[in-house]
Amino acid sequence: MRVLCVAEKNSIAKSVANILGGGQVKRRDTKSKYIKNYDFTFDFGGYIGTAQVTMTSVSGHLTEASFPSEYNSWSSVPQDILFDARIITSVSKNANVLADNIKKEARNATYLYIWTDCDREGEHIGMEITNVARISNPQIRVIRADFNNLERKHIIQASKRPRELSKDAADAVSARIELDFRLGAIFTRLQTLQLQRAFEILQSKVISYGPCQFPTLGFVVDRWQRVEDFVPENFWSLKLVDKRERQTVNFTWKRNRVYDRLAAILFLEHCLDAKVAKVVKVNQKPTRRYKPLPLSTVELTKMGPKFLRISSKKTLELAESLYTNGFVSYPRTETDQFDSGMDLHGIIGKLTPSEDWGTFAQGLLDGNFRIPRKGKHNDRAHPPIHPISFVHRSALQSQDHWRVYELITRRFLACCSENAIGAETIIELQMGDELFSQKGLIILERNYLDVYPYDKWTGTGQLPAYQVGEEIMPNMLNIIDSVTTSPSYLTEPELIALMDVNGIGTDATMADHIEKVQEREYVVKRKKRGAATEFVPSSLGIALAKGYDEIGLEWSLTKPFLRKEMEVQLKNIETGHLDRDALVQMTLSQFRDVFHLTKQRFDCLKNSCRLYLIELNEG
DNA sequence: GCAAGGTC
């Protein structure tokens, strides 16, 4: 009996082989330097029993979509033909050696045992592997492992309880592939050809459309528009100051602010009429600051730009490099909860040699350990990002590698710590009808904050003692006049947060889309004063977004709704409530209308480009 | 020369 196991990537193949092979694994090289074949014997039990096993892997998707070559010419093929053109699915160029490896290894196997990640894309990759294996061995029986972490017990259990590949999940992916491919080609060609013809400065540019890159651009333009539209407004507020025990206590007005100076004066006069302020509330309560949730990819890509000044794309790349070197766990995960079976103490134990956080880690082992909080996400494929082993600063390739490793490690230790504990005092004064309050915060136990410098919780110190009912004569009561400040341009963490809630891209691709809109020169990254960066749309980016708005589509292509809707429908396919072809046909017919209207009203885009690229740029 | 999703 021979069984061929195929994982989504070499790291999984290697781990699973080592668990199942129990130290008796023979490694063979393949023609790909990333992929190895692992041979061992294993007893699967049940109907398979003891078998000669070869465990290998692919490297993500094996195949890609293309049109037959007669559709390759941009200029002579009318774009709308691509709504119906045949799509060829073939093994992509760099995956040829992997496909050959699978064909060869499948030839003498009775079972093909799929070990791709247990997510939607993994089911599709499993189908791709199946199709390739059946070329050399049409009789091969296909089963699929159901696993979501790499713990020994779990993997052995999974190996004995295979399930079927989910056709529904694979269908959902296949729908996404077809739609993204067709629509990307159709609208990219339309925009590029028409705008290149109309504007000399665009002649060498590809004006691409993508269902993720366009909404990404849209978010940047929306914020830019808010900044443009901003009109500063005056406002007024009351400020009350009391001095006691050599402390100056500033009370803020409960109404916060009014936009009418006369109103502010009236409120002030009412207060002055009352002459004294009365203490109406002294509220003392324990408070805490929650430790962070276990780290997901989206969180990591937000933290990089924010705390390390490293772009989301670069942060993810650095984390991947740390992963392939065995220092951190798999960095592409939606999960923000640790499985209860995970050996967190074991990981903490590995971190104690550090001079940076070793003492803290030891403290956790000596009794400070607390169970991590659980977030709401679990992709059932990977645990939250956490350190795997300890590495010295000097052993890493660069300072930035270290900073990302440090962030991941400190985040992990923070998750295993106690929340920070404080005491909060709220004092409320009433003067006439007006209320004023002040908060005091003392931090009693820093706990996780000691290992996690990315969170700030600053105490305001102890407030002097006040008694309810006490009457005080304020040392100062007056009007403060201020002016509202402009919103700022979108930062990278804000952009990722927007993409996340709107379902634009996946955790692992959001950073790519952000890079893509910059590469296309739709968006420019700008250094803000004080080193933070922000995104501003280019003239071209603004022109596209405004132009599509003008066309008057029900949902503009730069808005996130179309993608959001598609995500919902893909879920429906995945759960068996919607047919794959039905969705594809429905979506294509919807976009056919979008296409014709866009083409018919293309002058909107041209006018917009003329305005933003030429006229407004001349001054 | 087009997309987005895997992965190295």
Side-chain angles (χ1 to χ4, degrees), chain A residues 248-272:
Chain A
T248 303
V249 187
N250 294 311
F251 287 86
T252 50
W253 193 22
K254 274 270 174 163
R255 283 185 208 273
N256 191 18
R257 54 175 69 168
V258 290
Y259 292 91
D260 178 33
R261 184 158 188 275
L262 224 61
I265 291 172
L266 279 175
F267 283 123
L268 176 68
E269 281 174 354
H270 284 152
C271 288
L272 292 173

Side-chain angles (χ1 to χ4, degrees), chain A residues 156-225:
Chain A
I156 289 178
Q157 213 169 57
S159 72
K160 296 177 191 269
R161 284 184 211 157
R163 63 167 168 90
E164 307 260 298
L165 274 169
S166 160
K167 182 171 180 307
D168 290 334
D171 273 354
V173 171
S174 133
R176 173 192 64 71
I177 291 172
E178 177 172 345
L179 290 170
D180 288 348
F181 179 62
R182 284 193 199 279
L183 300 174
I186 291 165
F187 283 89
T188 299
R189 291 184 188 189
L190 172 71
Q191 292 177 169
T192 304
L193 292 177
Q194 298 251 21
L195 292 175
Q196 279 184 351
R197 199 175 310 149
F199 298 95
E200 211 185 324
I201 48 169
L202 297 179
Q203 262 172 20
S204 58
K205 285 206 168 90
V206 173
I207 322 281
S208 65
Y209 163 78
C212 287
Q213 47 180 279
F214 254 47
T216 304
L217 164 64
F219 293 131
V220 176
V221 175
D222 276 356
R223 180 63 74 84
W224 166 84
Q225 188 67 62

Side-chain angles (χ1 to χ4, degrees), chain A residues 386-456:
Chain A
H386 63 275
I388 293 289
S389 60
F390 175 65
V391 59
H392 279 282
R393 195 183 290 247
S394 54
L396 289 172
Q397 296 107 295
S398 78
Q399 186 63 24
D400 282 348
H401 280 85
W402 168 258
R403 292 167 71 220
V404 171
Y405 173 74
E406 179 179 24
L407 187 148
I408 291 170
T409 303
R410 288 185 179 276
R411 173 78 170 221
F412 171 75
L413 290 170
C415 284
C416 297
S417 315
E418 177 65 277
N419 297 323
I421 311 283
E424 192 181 65
T425 310
I426 296 172
I427 294 163
E428 216 167 270
L429 304 181
Q430 186 169 8
M431 199 169 188
D433 290 334
E434 296 311 297
L435 290 171
F436 297 84
S437 72
Q438 168 65 319
K439 239 191 230 174
L441 171 70
I442 329 164
I443 294 165
L444 301 174
E445 294 172 32
R446 288 183 48 81
N447 296 330
Y448 88 88
L449 291 170
D450 280 335
V451 79
Y452 198 66
Y454 316 103
D455 259 9
K456 300 271 182 282

Side-chain angles (χ1 to χ4, degrees), chain A residues 4 194 210 293 315 318 362 384 434 464 496 501 505 508 512 523 531 565:
Chain A
L4 173 63
Q194 298 251 21
L293 290 171
T315 303
L318 290 164
Q362 190 58 51
E434 296 311 297
I496 291 176
V501 299
D512 293 330
V523 164
E565 171 65 14

Side-chain angles (χ1 to χ4, degrees), chain A residues 368-547:
Chain A
N368 293 340
F369 174 84
R370 297 290 180 276
I371 293 169
R373 295 169 57 203
K374 273 187 185 314
K376 292 193 179 85
H377 308 89
N378 195 334
D379 62 18
R380 303 258 153 231
H382 308 283
I385 307 169
H386 63 275
I388 293 289
S389 60
F390 175 65
V391 59
H392 279 282
R393 195 183 290 247
S394 54
L396 289 172
Q397 296 107 295
S398 78
Q399 186 63 24
D400 282 348
H401 280 85
W402 168 258
R403 292 167 71 220
V404 171
Y405 173 74
E406 179 179 24
L407 187 148
I408 291 170
T409 303
R410 288 185 179 276
R411 173 78 170 221
F412 171 75
L413 290 170
C415 284
C416 297
S417 315
E418 177 65 277
N419 297 323
I421 311 283
E424 192 181 65
T425 310
I426 296 172
I427 294 163
E428 216 167 270
L429 304 181
Q430 186 169 8
M431 199 169 188
D433 290 334
E434 296 311 297
L435 290 171
F436 297 84
S437 72
Q438 168 65 319
K439 239 191 230 174
L441 171 70
I442 329 164
I443 294 165
L444 301 174
E445 294 172 32
R446 288 183 48 81
N447 296 330
Y448 88 88
L449 291 170
D450 280 335
V451 79
Y452 198 66
Y454 316 103
D455 259 9
K456 300 271 182 282
W457 203 36
T458 31
T460 51
Q462 183 94 49
L463 289 178
Y466 284 85
Q467 301 296 326
V468 175
E470 188 185 341
E471 290 193 336
I472 58 174
M473 187 69 84
N475 293 69
M476 193 187 89
L477 175 66
N478 57 13
I479 295 182
I480 310 282
D481 55 335
S482 325
V483 61
T484 53
T485 51
S486 164
S488 46
Y489 295 113
L490 210 57
T491 63
E492 195 157 3
E494 286 173 329
L495 178 54
I496 291 176
L498 281 170
M499 296 172 76
D500 192 26
V501 299
N502 286 285
I504 304 301
T506 67
D507 48 3
T509 59
M510 287 175 198
D512 293 330
H513 301 311
I514 294 175
E515 189 152 276
K516 182 63 90 182
V517 292
Q518 293 176 79
E519 183 192 318
R520 294 288 185 228
E521 298 179 41
Y522 298 162
V523 164
V524 180
K525 187 188 259 186
R526 219 164 62 175
K527 269 244 179 306
K528 232 163 119 173
R529 268 186 309 173
T533 55
E534 56 191 14
F535 291 116
V536 192
S538 68
S539 304
L540 176 59
I542 298 168
L544 288 170
K546 296 280 151 199

